[in-house]
Amino acid sequence: MEETIAGTEAAQIPKQRGESLQETAVRYAEERHWDVFPGTWLEAVDGVQHCSCGDAACAAPGAHPAREDWATQATGSATVARRMWQKQPTASILLPTGRTFDAIEVAESAGFLALARMERMELTLGPVTLTPDRRMHFFVLPGAAVKMAELVRGLGWSPASFDLVALGEGAYVAAPPTRYGSRGAVQWACRPTPANRWLPDAEELISPLAYACGRDR
């Protein structure tokens, strides 16, 4: 999936391809004003990639926090981000939710169905990531996690009836081009652009997302 934009707007978003993790993390902080923090990283042992956490059965190898106090480590300073990745250049790029954005997480199949429906509805989307474990994260304004259950019930659904969750304070998402071991890298399903710098509210997206999750059950 293409991760750059041609033309004069290209400098306003992370290019990623050909850039180091450090450069990409700095761009997120500098150009999108997102808090970032370095997570675990991948280490080759006998030609096999393992998570730096040392757990052979790690569920997200190279793509989860390396420290319990990761929330205090997260920074929106490009200078601090550059310094943190200098210490471990291959560390994953993680973004805490509940600060500049929340994230609505759904299964990949429901996410693509929702994207198609949102396009027909001409909704303005924020960035959307696609992870190697087939999950999608829709970036929305902070506060989504607090009101998600109420929004779903307002549509006549039970919040527990399908696979839809909002990530807010105390949670995080992995950002492109972070890799999940040998499974592949996180990608943009909807790239950050100057047009989507202002994020939608969860209320604007909940209807097509809930519809897609209901169809995907």
Side-chain angles (χ1 to χ4, degrees):
M1 186 171 295
E2 186 59 42
E3 296 174 349
T4 64
I5 292 180
T8 58
E9 294 180 341
Q12 300 182 51
I13 65 166
K15 294 179 181 178
Q16 295 168 6
R17 287 189 176 177
E19 290 191 334
S20 67
L21 286 161
Q22 180 194 60
E23 291 171 327
T24 304
V26 168
R27 281 177 174 268
Y28 286 139
E30 191 170 57
E31 299 173 5
R32 296 298 291 200
H33 304 294
W34 290 339
D35 283 4
V36 298
F37 68 97
T40 52
W41 56 93
L42 296 172
E43 299 176 332
V45 179
D46 296 329
V48 179
Q49 297 283 351
H50 293 277
C51 185
S52 61
C53 72
D55 182 359
C58 181
H64 64 85
R67 299 165 37 164
E68 292 185 2
D69 64 343
W70 61 264
T72 62
Q73 186 187 23
T75 180
S77 165
T79 300
V80 175
R82 188 180 301 279
R83 187 162 59 243
M84 288 195 295
W85 266 271
Q86 282 175 344
K87 296 178 181 178
Q88 182 48 254
T90 59
S92 53
I93 303 173
L94 305 180
L95 310 176
T97 51
R99 300 189 182 188
T100 51
F101 65 87
D102 279 6
I104 302 177
E105 178 181 334
V106 298
E108 174 189 300
S109 51
F112 278 119
L113 179 60
L115 281 175
R117 192 171 179 84
M118 290 172 188
E119 183 177 350
R120 291 194 298 272
M121 296 170 69
E122 298 185 347
L123 294 177
T124 300
L125 291 175
V128 182
T129 62
L130 172 63
T131 70
D133 58 354
R134 304 176 71 84
R135 305 294 291 177
M136 293 179 75
H137 295 102
F138 290 72
F139 289 21
V140 294
L141 289 173
V146 175
K147 59 187 177 183
M148 180 56 64
E150 180 182 349
L151 291 174
V152 171
R153 280 193 290 267
L155 294 172
W157 298 86
S158 166
S161 65
F162 47 56
D163 184 10
L164 184 155
V165 62
L167 304 176
E169 186 176 357
Y172 65 90
V173 296
T178 294
R179 297 193 65 83
Y180 278 52
S182 60
R183 298 178 222 165
V186 182
Q187 300 180 64
W188 289 115
C190 183
R191 299 172 293 174
T193 70
N196 65 17
R197 181 174 296 276
W198 305 105
L199 299 175
D201 190 278
E203 294 181 26
E204 301 173 57
L205 306 186
I206 189 60
S207 179
L209 282 170
Y211 171 82
C213 289
R215 287 284 302 273
D216 195 49
R217 288 186 300 175

